[in-house]
Each structure stands twice: as C-alpha cells, then as structure tokens.
Amino acid sequence: MPQVGDLVGPIHLDAIAHGGHCVGRLDSRVVFVRHGLPGEVVTARITDTTNKRFWRADVVTIQQSSPDRVASRCPVSGQCGGCDFQHVSLTGQRQLKAAVLAEQLQRLAGIEWVGEVQAVGGVPDVPDGLGWRTRMRYQTQRGVVGLRAHRSHQMVELPANGCPIAHPEGPSAGELAELAASQLGDVELLATVADDVMTCAPGGSAEAATVVTQTVGMVDYQLSASGFWQVHPSAAELLSSRVLDLLAPTANDHVLDLYCGVGLFSGQLVGRGARVTGVEANRESVEWARRNVPSAVFIAAPVAKLTERLARDADLVVLDPPRSGAGEHVVRALARGSARTICYVACDPAALARDLATFERAGWHADHIEAWDLFPMTHHIECLALLSRP
C-alpha cells in the first residue's frame, strides 16, 4: 500500500469531480488527483490515505497532456490552497465547472441541465481571470507572509509579486511584509478593497473593523471591512440584477430575503417598490442591514426558526444560504408558504442540488438554472435557480 509522499502512476484521469480534482484509479482504488485534467495520464504524489474508500494525490509529472492545459500564472499554485485551476485555460475551467454542476444536478436532483458557466467582466488592465479577489486573508509566521496550503494549516510563502488573483488595488507583497514585521507574534492580515479604498490590518484590530462602503445601483451599503461581502468586484451588481430580473417584483409585493447579510438584495428590492422582510443570524450584519435599508424590516435570528411563520405571508422569496445550503427544514417550510416564485442563490452546486431535490419532492420545480464564473482559477461557481409551483 502506498504511503503519503510516495509517487504512483501512471494514473489515467477521468471526469472532473466536485472540489476541483479529477477521478483516477490505482487498481481498484479511487484516487482524487489535484492539478490534473480529464484525459491526462500522470504520475502523482500520494497526499492522504486516511479514507478507506479513496486516496488523494497531487500531479507531479504529466505523461499525456490535455489541450486545455496552460502554464500557471502563479509559482506556488501547486502548493497554495487558494486556486485549483491555474493550469487550465479559462474556457476549459468554465467547461469543467459546467460539467460538475450538470453532474450534481442529475445525480442528486434528477435534473438534466444543459448550460454553460458564464464569464463575468474582469478588472480593467488585469488579464482575464486574475486580479478579481477584493478580500484576502493572509497568514504570517515570524514576519513572513503567506496563504494556507490545500487542506492544511501550513503556510505557503507569498510569491514576490503577490497573489495573482488578489485585486491590484490591494496591498503589495512588500507592504504586507512591512505590516507583518511590525506585529508582535504571528497574526492574520485582512485586506479589503471597497469603492477604491483599501484597508489592511490584523484580524480583530480596530482597523480591521473599519467601515467600508460598497455601492450597488442607487444604494450605498456600509459594513465592517472584515464583514461578509461578495469578493468579485462585479458580483454584487450582477447577482442583485439577476435576482430582480428573475423574481420580477411588482409594487407592494412582500418579499422574504433569507440569509440577507447586510441587505444587498433587500436594498434593490425596496428600490422596486417591494415590501421586504430580511432574516439573518449574524446580529452585526442585521445592524448594518437596518442602517443600509431603513425601509425594510430585518430580524436577527436563525432562518430555520422563522421560515415557517414568515413564509405564510410572502409573495416572493430570495434566499442566499451558506455553502452548506438551506437544508430540508427551511426548504419544506418555504414550499408550504404562499410565495408564487422563489429565487435561490447558491455558491455550492451539491448543496443546491440537494435543496432542489427537496423542493421537487415538495411540489416545486426549477424552471431556470444559470451559473456564473465569479471565482476564476478556483473550482467554485455561483448559481441562481428560479422555482415555481407547476
């Protein structure tokens, strides 16, 4: 039996799997291999044998290459855990993500989806697929700055030119090193770019709690620099626009905004004349939401506790749950409610598929599913699904 660190191969790589790795086999053992592509033949280094059903490995050498393979833009892409697809052309990345979404929808929800992962406008003067990440969490060790390795707490030192997917208006590698050197002990550095203003400070510090402003449409949203906001600079505008288009709210519609955060969708819905009730478990986010959208009603509570009651009086629903999804309790409560249409915003295709399967069993149907490449160079995608009663 191979041990961690052993080289194995040749491994013939098959389909892409959810999580950014390809499926290969050593005899009868499934091996999830990172940094490979479907159709390639590789030699890989074993990284994990703890699971009885499969092992994990990283590509070391390529014996037969895919036409979608390109030179990585980052010298530590094989070590850092931030990017999965630096070695893949952008067209190839989006095709892989579409294949994963289609497979998850078919296997978990019985939905046959034929679509594409759509490109999103990038940052001016930056090559497509790079420079989009407006929020970064850097690690420091003895004054050295880096990022976490894949599935590890170990730190990979930041390249001399910085992280290629970090927004260009963020701190340079030199500025990060100076800030790290000024700290006592190892700290986490939070860097945020918002409306052309950059903040960078140790997590938990007063500066990390600096108020930043994000503008979407006619609404200025304020939040802490360390609070949650979409990391792609085009994401908030794009998603809120698509939610409005899909829900098509009319004046005086009562819209339920679940997992509402600081009020992104609520602010845009109110602008269309809707009456909005937002629910969010994070109390700090709710405080910001109340300031950002004073004409809406916001409740600080776990969504699962209030969905049953609030759904009885909703005309429309938008929900943007965490990566784990909304879950059966919330979905079934929404399905029993009065809404005519539900828009589901999802950052994980498996969680989306599980929840859509629950909706289907409860009598709702996904009329439309679309996907956007808001996280280039990674395996992550953003999806929107529009549901109605048949």
Side-chain angles (χ1 to χ4, degrees), residues 258-260 278-283 286 290 298-307 309-310:
L258 302 181
Y259 313 94
C260 65
V279 184
E280 167 64 52
N282 186 287
R283 292 186 176 276
V286 170
R290 288 169 177 160
F298 293 99
I299 304 172
V303 168
K305 287 189 175 181
L306 297 179
T307 308
R309 175 172 64 84
L310 294 176

Coordinates of all heavy atoms in Angstrom, one line a residue, residues 258-260 278-283 286 290 298-307 309-310:
L258 N -34.0 35.8 2.7 CA -33.4 34.9 3.7 C -31.9 34.9 3.6 O -31.4 34.8 2.5 CB -34.0 33.5 3.6 CG -35.5 33.4 3.7 CD1 -36.0 32.0 3.6 CD2 -36.0 34.0 5.1
Y259 N -31.2 34.8 4.8 CA -29.8 34.9 4.8 C -29.4 36.2 4.2 O -28.5 36.3 3.3 CB -29.1 33.7 4.1 CG -29.7 32.4 4.5 CD1 -30.7 31.8 3.7 CD2 -29.2 31.7 5.6 CE1 -31.2 30.6 4.0 CE2 -29.8 30.4 5.9 CZ -30.8 29.9 5.1 OH -31.3 28.7 5.4
C260 N -29.9 37.3 4.6 CA -29.9 38.6 3.9 C -28.6 39.4 4.1 O -28.4 40.3 3.4 CB -31.1 39.5 4.4 SG -31.0 40.0 6.1
G278 N -36.2 40.9 5.9 CA -34.9 40.1 5.8 C -34.7 39.4 7.1 O -35.0 39.8 8.2
V279 N -34.1 38.2 7.0 CA -33.7 37.4 8.1 C -32.2 37.0 8.0 O -31.8 36.5 7.0 CB -34.6 36.1 8.2 CG1 -34.2 35.3 9.5 CG2 -36.1 36.5 8.2
E280 N -31.5 37.1 9.1 CA -30.1 36.8 9.1 C -29.7 36.5 10.6 O -30.1 37.2 11.5 CB -29.3 38.0 8.6 CG -27.8 38.0 8.8 CD -27.1 36.8 8.1 OE1 -27.3 36.7 6.9 OE2 -26.4 36.1 8.8
A281 N -28.9 35.4 10.7 CA -28.5 35.0 12.1 C -27.4 35.9 12.7 O -27.3 36.1 13.9 CB -28.0 33.6 12.1
N282 N -26.6 36.5 11.8 CA -25.5 37.3 12.3 C -26.0 38.7 12.7 O -26.4 39.5 11.9 CB -24.4 37.5 11.2 CG -23.2 38.2 11.7 OD1 -23.2 39.4 11.9 ND2 -22.1 37.5 11.9
R283 N -25.9 39.0 14.0 CA -26.5 40.2 14.5 C -25.8 41.5 14.0 O -26.5 42.5 13.8 CB -26.5 40.2 16.1 CG -27.4 39.1 16.6 CD -27.5 39.2 18.2 NE -28.5 38.2 18.6 CZ -29.8 38.5 18.7 NH1 -30.3 39.6 18.3 NH2 -30.6 37.5 19.2
V286 N -27.2 42.3 10.6 CA -28.5 42.8 10.7 C -28.5 44.3 11.1 O -29.2 45.1 10.6 CB -29.4 42.0 11.7 CG1 -30.7 42.7 11.9 CG2 -29.6 40.6 11.1
R290 N -30.1 47.2 8.8 CA -31.1 48.2 9.2 C -30.7 49.6 8.8 O -31.5 50.4 8.5 CB -31.3 48.0 10.7 CG -32.1 46.8 11.1 CD -32.1 46.5 12.6 NE -32.9 45.3 12.9 CZ -32.8 44.7 14.0 NH1 -31.9 45.0 14.9 NH2 -33.6 43.6 14.2
F298 N -35.8 43.9 9.3 CA -34.8 42.9 9.5 C -34.9 42.3 10.8 O -35.1 42.9 11.8 CB -33.4 43.5 9.3 CG -33.2 44.0 7.9 CD1 -33.3 45.4 7.6 CD2 -32.9 43.1 6.8 CE1 -33.1 45.8 6.3 CE2 -32.7 43.6 5.6 CZ -32.8 44.9 5.3
I299 N -34.7 41.0 10.8 CA -34.8 40.2 12.0 C -33.5 39.4 12.2 O -33.1 38.7 11.3 CB -36.0 39.2 12.0 CG1 -37.3 39.9 11.7 CG2 -36.1 38.4 13.3 CD1 -38.5 39.0 11.4
A300 N -32.9 39.5 13.4 CA -31.7 38.8 13.7 C -32.1 37.5 14.4 O -32.4 37.4 15.6 CB -30.8 39.6 14.6
A301 N -32.0 36.4 13.6 CA -32.4 35.1 14.1 C -32.0 34.0 13.1 O -31.9 34.3 11.9 CB -33.9 35.0 14.4
P302 N -31.8 32.8 13.6 CA -31.6 31.7 12.6 C -32.7 31.6 11.7 O -33.9 31.6 12.1 CB -31.4 30.5 13.5 CG -31.0 31.0 14.9 CD -31.7 32.3 15.0
V303 N -32.5 31.5 10.4 CA -33.5 31.4 9.4 C -34.5 30.2 9.6 O -35.7 30.4 9.5 CB -32.9 31.3 8.0 CG1 -33.9 30.9 6.9 CG2 -32.1 32.6 7.6
A304 N -34.0 29.1 10.1 CA -34.8 27.9 10.2 C -35.9 28.2 11.3 O -37.0 27.5 11.2 CB -34.0 26.7 10.6
K305 N -35.7 29.1 12.2 CA -36.7 29.3 13.3 C -37.9 30.1 12.8 O -38.9 30.0 13.4 CB -36.0 30.0 14.5 CG -35.1 29.1 15.3 CD -34.6 29.8 16.6 CE -33.8 28.9 17.4 NZ -33.4 29.6 18.7
L306 N -37.7 30.9 11.8 CA -38.7 31.8 11.4 C -39.4 31.6 10.0 O -40.4 32.2 9.7 CB -38.2 33.3 11.4 CG -37.7 33.8 12.7 CD1 -37.1 35.2 12.5 CD2 -38.8 33.8 13.7
T307 N -38.8 30.7 9.3 CA -39.2 30.5 7.9 C -40.7 30.1 7.8 O -41.5 30.6 7.0 CB -38.4 29.4 7.2 OG1 -37.0 29.8 7.3 CG2 -38.7 29.4 5.7
R309 N -43.3 30.6 9.8 CA -44.2 31.7 10.0 C -44.1 32.8 8.9 O -45.2 33.2 8.4 CB -43.9 32.3 11.4 CG -44.8 33.6 11.7 CD -44.6 34.0 13.1 NE -43.2 34.4 13.4 CZ -42.8 35.7 13.2 NH1 -43.6 36.6 12.6 NH2 -41.6 36.0 13.5
L310 N -43.0 33.2 8.6 CA -42.8 34.3 7.6 C -43.2 33.9 6.2 O -43.7 34.7 5.4 CB -41.4 34.8 7.6 CG -40.9 35.5 8.9 CD1 -39.4 35.9 8.8 CD2 -41.7 36.7 9.2

